[in-house]
Amino acid sequence: MNNPRNLMVGNWKMNGSLAANASLLADILAGLAQVHCRTALCVPSVYLSQLQTLLAGTAIELGAQDVSAHESGAYTGEVSADMLRDFSVRYCVVGHSERRQFHAESDGVVAIKVQRALAAGITPIVCVGETLAERQAGLTEAVVRRQMAAVIHANGHCISEIVVAYEPVWAIGTGLTATPEQAQQVHAVLRAQLQAATAQAERVSILYGGSMNADNAAQLLAQPDVDGGLVGGAALNAHEFLSMLKAASR
Ligand code: PGA
């Protein structure tokens, strides 16, 4: 592994079944010998137990897609950070744009969820990104800086323990990808913001997400501040995901 910040994460979103998960995972594991980057899969919470079993003893780490902002108690439907920890969850996506958009998660809620994950020993993968309208209005940097600032403010010196994912909302699931230059520009802004907050900013992996696939992964990953990927659709195809993992292993 050339870069210790390298990390590739598959985000399965609300896809899968017991049978489909087992089959997809078997195909991924079969091709893992040539993969040398850190790899994680973030799966629906009902499948954490299944994946905990299937991933035991493999090089792939387990991740969740969300965590409650509350510790425990009367929050029907919520899953706490400690519960995730019970299933050997190592990473947790926090503040994905689909949560911000469809579940009204504010910057403040995202910041608290990051606290909960860190307190349970889980690495939060904090998602930030602008909408198309925000990009067209020239607000990209302001938006991602605002989203990051809330998380930095609430988490102090622990901020070097997070992973960041820059996911332009207009690129998620659309087939539109940020160009490597567009991605690098925002990643550099985020890196500088982290540097201002912690002396350990060089440790933080900053992933790109948004229609990353086998064709564009290598170019994106070649950028100095693109440390890996948060991959949705392309992570549901073993062949494609493996070729992205190999691109990240160089
Ligand atoms: P996509 O999703 O790769 O399907 O665009 C990425 C994400 O939302 O994490």
Side-chain angles (χ1 to χ4, degrees):
M1 199 193 314
N2 299 330
N3 179 352
R5 293 197 306 243
N6 269 179
L7 172 64
M8 293 295 285
V9 181
N11 173 12
W12 284 3
K13 308 197 179 185
M14 199 172 73
N15 293 291
S17 66
L18 287 172
N21 300 345
S23 153
L24 174 58
L25 196 64
D27 290 344
I28 294 172
L29 291 174
L32 219 53
Q34 297 146 57
V35 170
H36 309 292
C37 62
R38 276 190 295 151
T39 306
L41 293 175
C42 295
V43 306
S45 56
V46 289
Y47 295 127
L48 288 172
S49 173
Q50 180 196 19
L51 270 287
Q52 180 189 29
T53 304
L54 294 176
L55 293 178
T58 77
I60 300 182
E61 294 183 290
L62 185 55
Q65 299 176 5
D66 185 30
V67 62
S68 177
H70 306 284
E71 263 184 85
S72 67
Y75 301 102
T76 303
E78 296 271 283
V79 177
S80 76
D82 284 344
M83 293 173 185
L84 296 179
R85 200 57 225 170
D86 260 352
F87 291 88
S88 315
V89 166
R90 168 83 175 77
Y91 295 99
C92 180
V93 176
V94 178
H96 192 282
S97 64
E98 288 151 16
R99 302 285 323 167
R100 293 180 191 260
Q101 189 181 348
F102 304 133
H103 301 271
E105 283 190 15
S106 64
D107 293 343
V109 167
V110 172
I112 293 169
K113 290 186 170 196
V114 170
Q115 283 180 344
R116 294 283 178 237
L118 288 171
I122 293 170
T123 301
I125 301 172
V126 181
C127 300
V128 299
E130 81 288 2
T131 63
L132 186 57
E134 288 164 341
R135 173 162 283 266
Q136 286 171 340
L139 294 172
T140 299
E141 287 189 18
V143 169
V144 300
R145 286 180 60 85
R146 187 203 74 220
Q147 292 171 332
M148 265 309 294
V151 174
I152 290 171
H153 179 73
N155 289 276
H157 67 276
C158 294
I159 203 66
S160 62
E161 303 302 317
I162 72 169
V163 167
V164 177
Y166 168 53
E167 297 207 309
V169 178
W170 48 271
I172 295 177
T174 57
L176 295 172
T177 318
T179 64
E181 294 73 26
Q182 284 174 325
Q184 170 58 29
Q185 198 176 359
V186 177
H187 282 228
V189 166
L190 292 167
R191 180 86 61 203
Q193 193 176 6
L194 288 164
Q195 272 160 348
T198 168
Q200 309 287 321
E202 297 305 315
R203 289 178 41 185
V204 178
S205 301
I206 307 181
L207 316 182
Y208 169 80
S211 297
M212 199 185 212
N213 58 37
D215 293 331
N216 59 32
Q219 274 187 304
L220 286 159
L221 293 166
Q223 299 299 312
D225 287 301
V226 178
D227 301 315
L230 180 56
V231 186
L236 298 172
N237 176 310
H239 178 74
E240 178 145 22
F241 191 53
L242 279 168
S243 81
M244 298 169 77
L245 297 182
K246 285 173 200 159
S249 301
R250 293 219 183 91

